[in-house]
Amino acid sequence: QVQLQESGPGLVKPSQTLSLTCTVSGGSISSVGYYWSWIRQHPGKGLEWIGYIYHSGSTYYNPSLKSRVIISVDRSENRFSLRLSSVTAADTAVYYCARLESSGWREVYFDYWGQGSLVTVSS
Amino acid sequence: QSALTQPASVSGSPGQSITISCTGTSSDVGSYDLVSWYQQHPGKAPKVMIYGVSKRPSGVSNRFSGSKSGNTASLTISGLQAEDEADYYCCSYAGGSTLVFGGGTKLTVL
């Protein structure tokens, strides 16, 4: 059973960089056909796809966040990370990591999710 | 890239059927059979209920079904149960290796 666990600071100051890590257990981050993703949910609002990374390092980002987002992967530690720069209060949200099943892009869906990590942007 | 359009809320009585719509464009829902649906209970992570428009993951009740017509996908829940009360989100591949979610629908079981 694949499990994902987010970790990182729960409070970030405005203009600084938000950094979160997702540790994967029960499966390899290098498995073929899976992309490792970040999704966020503003308080009381809907889900927003941030981006995802393949174990090779290929990344794909939401165009609306692309200029501020970097997703990276550490295959040796079986984890991947999110960095979001120049944060404002509008970036306050629950951040989820999730595995995207792609099966060669014949199927595309998030099959495993972390529990979520609330990040508040405030001075 | 705009969010897919879902009704803010739907409701139904136990045993009834409800349908939640998810309207996109010819660039996302209309172009790809890659729509998935997620159920989210308060304080919990989302759970996939439908993928590939109409496929159910192992373990998901067959009371959940999905379909698509043109730029609109739909999730139908039959035989409503109290435990189905939750928020539901659709998600579609939008080309260019991007994804887009719907705004979410709150299902109330009366």
Side-chain angles (χ1 to χ4, degrees):
Chain A
Q1 177 81 344
V2 174
Q3 293 184 314
L4 295 91
Q5 178 67 58
E6 304 91 350
S7 60
L11 181 64
V12 181
K13 289 182 167 53
S15 80
Q16 293 191 341
T17 296
L18 177 160
S19 296
L20 292 171
T21 294
C22 181
T23 301
V24 180
S25 58
S28 172
I29 206 166
S30 297
S31 296
V32 173
Y34 300 109
Y35 289 77
W36 304 94
S37 313
W38 289 98
I39 297 145
R40 70 180 182 179
Q41 186 169 33
H42 295 104
K45 302 296 184 183
L47 301 169
E48 180 180 28
W49 170 68
I50 297 172
Y52 51 76
I53 189 167
Y54 198 56
H55 64 80
S56 63
S58 298
T59 52
Y60 305 89
Y61 300 131
N62 185 324
S64 68
L65 296 170
K66 187 175 183 177
S67 64
R68 298 195 292 132
V69 174
I70 296 175
I71 298 176
S72 58
V73 65
D74 183 341
R75 291 186 297 276
S76 66
E77 296 290 337
N78 219 41
R79 65 190 186 192
F80 62 107
S81 299
L82 169 71
R83 288 174 59 85
L84 180 66
S85 62
S86 304
V87 297
T88 69
D91 294 308
T92 293
V94 173
Y95 287 77
Y96 292 100
C97 59
R99 189 179 81 168
L100 181 74
E101 155 77 71
S102 74
S103 297
W105 297 103
R106 295 189 303 276
E107 305 295 356
V108 176
Y109 62 100
F110 299 101
D111 57 354
Y112 290 98
W113 296 66
Q115 64 186 28
S117 178
L118 175 62
V119 179
T120 301
V121 178
S122 175
S123 56
Chain B
Q1 187 185 56
S2 299
L4 306 175
T5 300
Q6 298 181 232
S9 63
V10 297
S11 62
S13 299
Q16 288 186 332
S17 295
I18 63 95
T19 296
I20 299 172
S21 61
C22 169
T23 300
T25 69
S26 58
S27 297
D28 39 60
V29 175
S31 287
Y32 308 97
D33 288 336
L34 296 174
V35 176
S36 51
W37 289 89
Y38 301 86
Q39 176 192 65
Q40 185 181 35
H41 287 109
K44 300 294 186 182
K47 172 189 174 184
V48 62
M49 306 303 284
I50 295 287
Y51 68 94
V53 173
S54 60
K55 301 173 186 176
R56 268 190 317 276
S58 175
V60 172
S61 170
N62 59 9
R63 297 185 299 104
F64 291 83
S65 62
S67 63
K68 190 187 88 167
S69 178
N71 295 339
T72 299
S74 299
L75 172 71
T76 297
I77 308 174
S78 59
L80 267 182
Q81 300 179 359
E83 67 206 49
D84 300 331
E85 184 162 297
D87 293 328
Y88 290 86
Y89 295 91
C90 59
C91 180
S92 176
Y93 180 72
S97 299
T98 65
L99 300 168
V100 61
F101 280 99
T105 298
K106 181 177 179 61
L107 169 62
T108 300
V109 180
L110 302 170

